Amino acid sequence: MTPTAVRAELREGDRGPVLAISGRLDVETAAAARREIHAKLAGAPAKALEVDASGVDHGDMSGMVLLYELEEGRLAPGVRARITELKPEFRTLLSAFPSREAIEALEPHRARRTLPVEVGAHSLSLLRDLREQVTFVGAVAQGFGAALRSPRAMRWPEVALAVEKAGVNAVPIVSLISLLAGLIIAFEASQPLAMFGAQAYIADIIGIVMIREFGPIFTAIILAGRSGSAFAAELGTMKVNEELNALTTMGLNPMRFLVMQRVLAGMLLMPVLTAFSMLTGVVGGILVMLAMGFPFAEIWSHLAGAVRVSDVLVGTSKSIVFGAIVAGLGCLRGMQTKEGPSAVGDSATRAVVAGILMIIVVDAIFAVVTNALQV
Amino acid sequence: MSSAPVAIDVRGVTVGYGDRVVQQNLDFQVRRGEVFVILGGSGSGKSSVLKVMIGLYEPVAGVIRIDGENLVEAEGENRQRLLRKFGVMYQSGALFGSLTVLENVRLPLDEFTELTREEKDLVAMAKLNQVDLLPAAGRMPSELSGGMQKRAAIARALALDPGILFLDEPSAGLDPITSAGLDATIRTLSRGLGITFVVVTHELQSIYSIADRCIMLDARRKTIIAEGAPADLRDHSEDPYVRQFFLRQAEPAAVSGGEGATR
């Protein structure tokens, strides 16, 4: 069959105007056919219309939709055309279009929820989430208790693997970001301090800021982005594949099997990563000061005078808590994964967002407590 | 049926991954309008053969012609045009989870046609109507049962009115009633619209109810071991493996019992 272009002719029949459509009426020609039909019907009186489709020799559903629209009065407003002489194979296609009633009976896309319902549902889910988090913290604490009693039950090779992936592999990025942060802080501080001739105190600022605050926070945020999300995605995929169910029905506790070693790994690797961050951050500050012409001995004496042992201890203990939070939230969000193609991605997002939020909140708590204790 | 023109011509095709050959030297023709079934036990590579036929994987050797044009060597615009000659229903349905059923079916129309928005909706609804799924048009794929998901996937594969439809394991994971319903849909589409079907399955009931002709692949001999109408193969095949398959006997080659003995 050699497909020809579509043609439409308007002629006067016995019982009113007849629109004769012929040629090829398919996905390729539908747009041209619509233009042609519109043009031919433009000047015609809006009365009864007959469509002579005997000349249609090739067609598909995308072409037949035009005949359906003519039949339903959608193309020529107010005129419901009568389709005649359509070949049976195309009649089959045309008959597949749903009736007007069937279209109207379709379920609405999605029932809109009213504001109070939305607020209520959201509050409930927040409360439920809080409850799950408390339960989770309890389960992790219980897991640590069990691990202390029988350390051999802990899956140490997996702890090592998690430390390598989340810790060792993160050393370059943590070092680079901290170095640049140290450079930037030193640069920005040098301008206002210059007004008082106090640029030597850049060393004090950089030491305290990097060791007490930014070292742990930067490292924790990088860990949340790199590994919190990865934990959530790993456990989420396992949940979607029913691997978590398989563990449970085998009588194995997913907490002990999957969560404990990741949380432990987080707590072990964070102080080390943070030490890298503190060190490179301070190095960044020192580089700026050296470039400004300060001798190293002076920089060092400022640093040694400003940074106390308690600063290092506070920074390090923060980092352990941050490690537990980021790894734990990653695992929790992974285990909470729902069904559907976007579920794993949602869990990873939730892990990172909740992780960063909790880091800042806990850091604020640390600030208040250490201030009260004067350390 | 044998006089109908050839829709898909598979010549000397070898399918494999790396050094591993799954099937070699396959020769068969699918004729326009027939329901052609690719049979085989688990691991015989029937799904791999299908993936080569639809251009997802390249064959190690051989030629696949669709309406006389070589799919293996087609590139660019030419390949796109060839790909639009057929639709594919994947084993899992592979519906886009973020779109409603109607939007899933409308997606190819959005991309490849110049219809108005309203017309595209109407065509998508007509497609869903053809597979008896119109009432579920506004639902999300995750809200559908397995059988409904496969129907929706067929509707989407049909969206651009391809002449050929490839179905990968349509009855996998479905109960017998749902599966029979799907078979009925396939028959209706085949008889009513003259669509050519290439179906990969190992479901005996399905084979009898839909297949005009089938080929059987064997994992050990790595080639086609039987070709013909399913009833002929069941009743007249000399090959012990083929008879075993159709009679649903477990192992080994000692097949001497009467027809249907264990069915």
Side-chain angles (χ1 to χ4, degrees):
Chain A
M1 117 185 48
T2 49
T4 52
V6 66
R7 271 192 315 278
E9 298 291 341
L10 194 66
R11 60 177 150 83
E12 209 51 45
D14 303 337
R15 285 173 293 173
V18 177
L19 182 72
I21 299 176
S22 60
R24 175 180 173 183
L25 193 58
D26 64 10
V27 59
E28 305 287 338
T29 64
R34 182 170 354 93
R35 280 194 298 275
E36 183 100 7
I37 291 169
H38 270 306
K40 289 288 159 20
L41 289 181
K47 276 188 298 174
L49 178 70
E50 185 185 325
V51 173
D52 174 9
S54 60
V56 175
D57 53 19
H58 186 253
D60 63 19
M61 200 74 100
S62 300
M64 290 308 130
V65 71
L66 293 172
L67 296 184
Y68 173 79
E69 285 179 302
L70 281 168
E71 212 174 20
E72 288 287 311
R74 288 166 184 254
L75 268 191
V79 189
R80 292 189 135 201
R82 216 155 42 83
I83 313 286
T84 57
E85 306 282 329
L86 185 63
K87 291 197 171 68
E89 61 262 40
F90 304 138
R91 184 60 76 179
T92 320
L93 289 178
L94 190 56
S95 64
F97 283 97
S99 64
R100 185 166 289 203
E101 296 78 45
I103 295 175
E104 277 161 12
L106 282 185
E107 299 169 25
H109 258 225
R110 199 143 273 259
R112 273 274 169 90
R113 295 201 289 189
T114 58
L115 185 66
V117 173
E118 194 74 35
V119 170
H122 211 74
S123 314
L124 272 181
S125 84
L126 273 182
L127 284 177
R128 210 176 299 129
D129 189 47
L130 193 66
R131 188 196 156 99
E132 279 177 27
Q133 291 193 23
V134 173
T135 316
F136 186 79
V137 169
V140 170
Q142 210 179 18
F144 270 114
L148 280 181
R149 262 177 279 134
S150 53
R152 279 201 292 175
M154 179 66 85
R155 295 159 57 82
W156 292 106
E158 297 210 11
V159 177
L161 187 71
V163 167
E164 186 192 333
K165 277 171 79 173
V168 179
N169 296 350
V171 168
I173 182 78
V174 166
S175 305
L176 179 67
I177 287 179
S178 304
L179 179 77
L180 294 177
L183 286 171
I184 294 164
I185 293 168
F187 253 124
E188 296 294 339
S190 71
Q191 306 279 338
L193 287 178
M195 289 194 285
F196 305 101
Q199 280 170 311
Y201 289 93
I202 294 175
D204 303 52
I205 293 176
I206 213 75
I208 293 174
V209 159
M210 281 314 296
I211 288 172
R212 241 184 121 94
E213 291 292 336
F214 283 0
I217 287 190
F218 281 161
T219 315
I221 289 176
I222 294 168
L223 187 77
R226 272 187 91 251
S227 304
S229 56
F231 291 169
E234 280 167 20
L235 267 63
T237 310
M238 291 182 76
K239 166 128 188 206
V240 170
N241 290 340
E242 296 196 273
E243 289 174 46
L244 293 189
N245 290 350
L247 281 176
T248 310
T249 48
M250 276 191 269
L252 299 169
N253 184 356
M255 289 298 293
R256 182 176 80 74
F257 229 75
L258 300 170
V259 176
M260 291 314 303
Q261 71 261 30
R262 288 185 168 83
V263 175
L264 184 64
M267 293 169 72
L268 290 178
L269 67 88
M270 261 301 279
V272 183
L273 266 189
T274 305
F276 271 98
S277 170
M278 292 170 175
L279 187 71
T280 49
V282 170
V283 167
I286 292 174
L287 286 179
V288 171
M289 291 189 76
L290 287 174
M292 289 166 142
F294 286 95
F296 184 76
E298 190 185 345
I299 302 172
W300 185 253
S301 77
H302 268 278
L303 266 178
V307 179
R308 293 162 300 165
V309 176
S310 65
D311 292 331
V312 179
L313 287 182
V314 167
T316 308
S317 46
K318 265 187 202 177
S319 73
I320 298 174
V321 176
F322 290 167
I325 289 173
V326 167
L329 272 172
C331 294
L332 174 65
R333 294 307 185 217
M335 307 237 297
Q336 287 173 334
T337 300
K338 299 189 181 66
E339 283 178 12
S342 58
V344 175
D346 290 344
S347 291
T349 307
R350 275 156 45 89
V352 176
V353 171
I356 292 176
L357 182 72
M358 286 308 290
I359 290 164
I360 304 298
V361 169
V362 170
D363 191 55
I365 295 172
F366 258 98
V368 172
V369 172
T370 50
N371 189 42
L373 295 176
Q374 308 220 318
V375 286
Chain B
M1 193 60 76
S2 61
S3 60
V6 173
I8 309 170
D9 189 6
V10 176
R11 292 256 173 225
V13 164
T14 297
V15 177
Y17 307 94
D19 291 339
R20 198 165 71 88
V21 170
V22 177
Q23 288 286 331
Q24 55 191 358
N25 233 344
L26 301 180
D27 269 310
F28 58 90
Q29 282 81 42
V30 180
R31 296 188 174 278
R32 189 164 293 155
E34 74 177 345
V35 178
F36 186 86
V37 171
I38 301 176
L39 290 176
S42 304
S44 60
K46 47 194 190 307
S47 281
S48 302
V49 171
L50 186 87
K51 288 190 174 113
V52 166
M53 287 173 78
I54 60 181
L56 273 184
Y57 301 153
E58 289 220 344
V60 176
V63 172
I64 293 152
R65 286 196 189 83
I66 293 185
D67 286 341
E69 289 181 82
N70 189 352
L71 177 67
V72 181
E73 281 169 9
E75 275 170 16
E77 190 66 15
N78 214 10
R79 185 179 177 85
Q80 292 303 321
R81 195 177 43 76
L82 263 185
L83 290 179
R84 257 175 280 157
K85 282 178 181 254
F86 57 79
V88 184
M89 187 209 82
Y90 293 92
Q91 200 170 21
S92 61
L95 297 170
F96 302 116
S98 55
L99 304 178
T100 64
V101 171
L102 188 76
E103 289 165 341
N104 260 287
V105 180
R106 206 183 58 212
L107 184 72
L109 297 162
D110 284 337
E111 291 299 313
F112 294 116
T113 71
E114 291 171 49
L115 300 176
T116 64
R117 168 69 196 258
E118 198 183 17
E119 287 167 347
K120 284 185 272 199
D121 273 340
L122 283 169
V123 173
M125 283 185 211
K127 296 295 173 192
L128 288 171
N129 212 10
Q130 284 183 323
V131 296
D132 289 325
L133 204 64
L134 185 60
R139 293 208 227 159
M140 302 303 285
S142 55
E143 298 168 337
L144 301 185
S145 70
M148 290 163 97
Q149 288 191 5
K150 297 208 171 177
R151 281 171 193 278
I154 292 182
R156 185 180 67 184
L158 280 173
L160 293 172
D161 291 275
I164 305 166
L165 212 51
F166 289 92
L167 311 182
D168 191 3
E169 304 264 6
S171 37
L174 298 184
D175 67 82
I177 299 171
T178 312
S179 174
L182 202 61
D183 288 347
T185 304
I186 295 170
R187 277 199 308 275
T188 314
L189 293 173
S190 156
R191 310 265 151 80
L193 306 178
I195 293 173
T196 310
F197 277 89
V198 178
V199 184
V200 163
T201 187
H202 51 224
E203 199 68 39
L204 277 177
Q205 290 298 337
S206 255
I207 296 163
Y208 292 131
S209 95
I210 60 173
D212 293 315
R213 223 151 49 84
C214 56
I215 56 170
M216 183 182 270
L217 304 177
D218 183 31
R220 273 170 279 191
R221 282 169 275 181
K222 298 190 192 304
T223 191
I224 299 173
I225 52 170
E227 180 166 1
D232 280 350
L233 296 188
R234 178 191 60 201
D235 298 337
H236 305 299
S237 177
E238 299 289 317
D239 191 294
Y241 181 80
V242 176
R243 289 177 60 88
Q244 240 178 303
F245 188 96
F246 277 100
L247 301 179
R248 292 192 68 184
Q249 287 172 339
E251 278 290 317
V255 182
S256 53
E259 263 110 72
T262 55
R263 282 213 315 131

